[in-house]
Amino acid sequence: MAIITKYCLTYKMNENEHLLINTVTGALDIIDTPSLNLINEVKAGNSDAISKKSQLYSDLQKRGYLFETPKDELALLQKVKSYSDFLYNNSFPTEFIILPTLGCNLRCTYCFEDDAQHVNHCKMTKEQLEGILKYIKEIKESHKEILEKNKQKLKIRIFGGEPLLPGNKELVIRILEFSRDNNVEVNIVSNGTLVDYYMETLVEFKDVINLQITLDGQKDIHDKRRIRADGKGTFDAICKNITKLIDNNIRIALRVNVDAENISGINEIEKIIIDNQWNKHGYVIPYFSPVVDFSGTSTTVLEESELLEGLLKSGYKTDGSSTFKSVVSPCIGYLNMFFNPHSKHKFCKTHYCGATSKNELCFSPDGLVTSCITYSGKGKHSIGTFDENGVTFDQEAYLAWTDRNVFKIQKCGNCKYAFLCGGGCPIKAIDQNGSMENVVCSDIKSTIDTYVNEVVIPTLTAGESA
């Protein structure tokens, strides 16, 4: 008896060749049409369609597409689960997201934080911050050997609200001093309007920081989306400040949040970058990220397949050769890694994101720890608390969030895309269905279809022609 795994995807390259993709093992293979016909016969119930003595049978079995019995396939999945559990049990937090305040001087139209949070300028205390830094130092010391072996640094992300509000300066400087002393990377997620207040500090600590600033399009589009509390636009101020930062050799991740309102203007943003020579000296790395709607009610949010299709039409290259170097998103981001022949990490995706895999912890001024930044400062779905003495976890909540994986979600058990998806966004599941386990499926099916047909197959075909 032979069976073809449900985790086998097939795509037509031309009349004579087809691409096989194994979503569990990561195998990619090109087969001819007669071989595909035999595979389809086995799928249809003719288990003897492929002779056990044939090279095709042997190759399909070695590559994890064919099993002699369902028990054999189950054994492979058990190995995957065991390795996933091993990785989880041996992992630890590597990125610590610190929100000195949720107060903000902007009112961006798509922000997942609400205005009530932005007008509340409650600030984290110095004592609270010291408790966080103490915990980070403990993590570093207890995992010193593995960090050194992997040449890996811990990371602090300073978030908000707007972290570079003038009133946060003492806290920001303390974080930067700690990071330099302890060899920790720092990413500051700022709207870019207030850098003058911090320029001297940013220059002093430019060896340890990366600054993320968002520019959402040409002036007329950007100024409708990223607006000040008084309703005025921010395009001119942000462009001016980006140039100042570059002149001071400060690294910037230039983010474009994309949805239906601005995707048609991607080329105009690229022109702004080139005309200002922001990408000339390597200090600016432009990238895309989708606007996300957790409630499912937005009319402008794009599915990732729509996002990918639009970006490819605008000239985006998945190999990093275009002006915009990457797309930071759950589906497209993972597929970029999955199809990258130079990627060292090829294990299938059993967890959806950093919030569900123990990698990230978020600390807000209310003294609560969350796994996902979406719930920071909202007083719900916390996994612990912190104060001047350190961090304390609610173990039940901690495990529910950080060890949410496809093996624990019933709906994922029957899905051939599960190991490319990782179980879907837990926030969407909670907001739309009331529970993390009642999943809202990601757009992985349509996204991989677009990715394979528009990126992978043309690349393979071009390689064959060269």
Side-chain angles (χ1 to χ4, degrees):
M1 177 184 179
I3 61 169
I4 299 296
T5 179
K6 67 185 173 189
Y7 301 106
C8 172
L9 308 181
T10 61
Y11 293 90
K12 183 177 180 179
M13 297 178 64
N14 53 54
E15 290 302 321
N16 299 313
E17 293 179 313
H18 307 267
L19 180 64
L20 290 185
I21 300 174
N22 190 317
T23 63
V24 177
T25 67
L28 276 70
D29 296 275
I30 297 174
I31 60 170
D32 58 22
T33 298
S35 296
L36 179 62
N37 291 338
L38 291 173
I39 288 172
N40 288 335
E41 281 193 47
V42 176
K43 285 184 176 181
N46 182 3
S47 60
D48 297 322
I50 304 174
S51 170
K52 281 190 176 183
K53 296 180 181 180
S54 68
Q55 187 64 45
L56 178 62
Y57 189 102
S58 176
D59 290 344
L60 291 174
Q61 191 173 40
K62 286 178 182 178
R63 301 287 282 172
Y65 299 107
L66 181 148
F67 297 90
E68 291 193 354
T69 68
K71 185 177 179 181
D72 293 334
E73 181 178 24
L74 190 60
L76 173 63
L77 294 177
Q78 185 56 51
K79 287 182 180 179
V80 172
K81 183 182 184 303
S82 296
Y83 189 57
S84 176
D85 291 342
F86 170 80
L87 292 176
Y88 176 82
N89 291 331
N90 287 274
S91 65
F92 53 92
T94 56
E95 183 164 11
F96 306 87
I97 303 169
I98 301 175
L99 293 78
T101 181
L102 289 164
C104 188
N105 61 320
L106 300 194
R107 299 294 182 267
C108 301
T109 56
Y110 50 72
C111 187
F112 62 84
E113 297 171 348
D114 56 44
D115 287 355
Q117 290 177 290
H118 291 156
V119 298
N120 177 10
H121 284 234
C122 174
K123 190 170 67 173
M124 186 176 287
T125 67
K126 290 185 287 187
E127 292 76 17
Q128 284 178 311
L129 177 59
E130 291 304 323
I132 299 169
L133 300 181
K134 174 186 175 184
Y135 176 72
I136 295 173
K137 196 165 187 178
E138 289 171 354
I139 291 291
K140 186 179 182 195
E141 288 301 315
S142 60
H143 298 90
K144 183 178 180 179
E145 289 186 10
I146 191 168
L147 288 168
E148 290 178 351
K149 179 182 177 181
N150 295 335
K151 297 180 181 180
Q152 180 183 8
K153 291 183 180 182
L154 298 181
K155 297 179 181 179
I156 291 176
R157 192 192 318 170
I158 310 179
F159 204 86
E162 170 52 42
L164 299 187
L165 289 175
N168 296 334
K169 194 167 187 178
E170 185 177 3
L171 296 176
V172 170
I173 290 175
R174 175 65 185 116
I175 294 171
L176 296 177
E177 289 173 342
F178 170 87
S179 299
R180 175 179 282 172
D181 292 342
N182 291 277
N183 195 27
V184 174
E185 287 186 14
V186 179
N187 296 304
I188 303 176
V189 181
S190 171
N191 58 44
T193 62
L194 300 169
V195 295
D196 279 343
Y197 292 98
Y198 282 82
M199 188 60 75
E200 185 177 337
T201 299
L202 296 174
V203 171
E204 179 184 353
F205 291 96
K206 65 184 178 183
D207 58 315
V208 298
I209 64 171
N210 291 281
L211 199 61
Q212 177 189 300
I213 295 176
T214 298
L215 193 71
D216 272 357
Q218 62 267 41
K219 182 178 174 64
D220 61 326
I221 292 177
H222 176 96
D223 282 349
K224 291 176 183 177
R225 296 159 63 90
R226 301 188 65 80
I227 55 180
R228 300 180 188 274
D230 62 6
K232 295 180 180 178
T234 58
F235 179 87
D236 292 334
I238 290 173
C239 289
K240 180 180 178 181
N241 287 336
I242 290 172
T243 299
K244 285 182 182 178
L245 291 164
I246 294 170
D247 289 342
N248 283 283
N249 302 334
I250 294 170
R251 296 183 296 270
I252 303 170
L254 185 61
R255 176 176 175 131
V256 180
N257 292 319
V258 185
D259 61 12
E261 292 181 340
N262 68 339
I263 193 166
S264 62
I266 295 303
N267 294 126
E268 283 76 10
I269 306 175
E270 183 175 23
K271 187 176 185 301
I272 291 167
I273 294 170
I274 294 171
D275 287 350
N276 284 282
Q277 299 187 348
W278 289 343
N279 60 339
K280 186 175 180 181
H281 302 293
Y283 290 109
V284 173
I285 305 296
Y287 75 98
F288 299 114
S289 191
V291 174
V292 178
D293 169 42
F294 298 108
S295 67
T297 59
S298 173
T299 59
T300 60
V301 166
L302 299 170
E303 295 287 356
E304 286 203 50
S305 56
E306 298 172 315
L307 172 66
L308 178 60
E309 187 174 352
L311 295 181
L312 291 172
K313 287 179 180 178
S314 74
Y316 166 67
K317 304 293 184 184
T318 60
D319 62 3
S321 62
S322 53
T323 299
F324 291 92
K325 301 305 178 184
S326 63
V327 180
V328 177
S329 68
C331 295
I332 301 171
Y334 181 76
L335 293 177
N336 277 341
M337 183 280 296
F338 183 85
F339 288 111
N340 182 354
H342 305 294
S343 175
K344 294 180 180 179
H345 177 70
K346 282 291 185 181
F347 184 63
C348 54
K349 187 176 179 180
T350 56
H351 297 256
Y352 182 72
C353 63
T356 59
S357 57
K358 206 196 284 188
N359 292 336
E360 299 176 357
L361 293 174
C362 311
F363 303 87
S364 49
D366 56 9
L368 296 179
V369 183
T370 59
S371 185
C372 180
I373 197 168
T374 306
Y375 285 131
S376 291
K378 295 182 179 178
K380 58 184 180 180
H381 299 296
S382 63
I383 60 172
T385 59
F386 71 97
D387 57 22
E388 65 274 13
N389 298 313
V391 179
T392 303
F393 290 106
D394 176 332
Q395 286 301 319
E396 183 177 351
Y398 180 85
L399 287 173
W401 274 90
T402 66
D403 196 21
R404 179 183 183 269
N405 62 68
V406 296
F407 295 105
K408 294 184 175 181
I409 301 171
Q410 185 176 1
K411 190 174 181 180
C412 296
N414 298 315
C415 180
K416 61 184 176 182
Y417 301 99
F419 295 106
L420 297 174
C421 168
C425 175
I427 310 300
K428 288 185 178 180
I430 291 171
D431 283 5
Q432 295 181 39
N433 296 333
S435 167
M436 277 196 293
E437 308 314 312
N438 193 2
V439 300
V440 175
C441 294
S442 73
D443 189 42
I444 188 61
K445 179 188 182 302
S446 296
T447 306
I448 192 172
D449 286 350
T450 300
Y451 200 106
V452 171
N453 289 317
E454 301 296 331
V455 179
V456 178
I457 289 177
T459 301
L460 293 173
T461 303
E464 289 180 350
S465 301

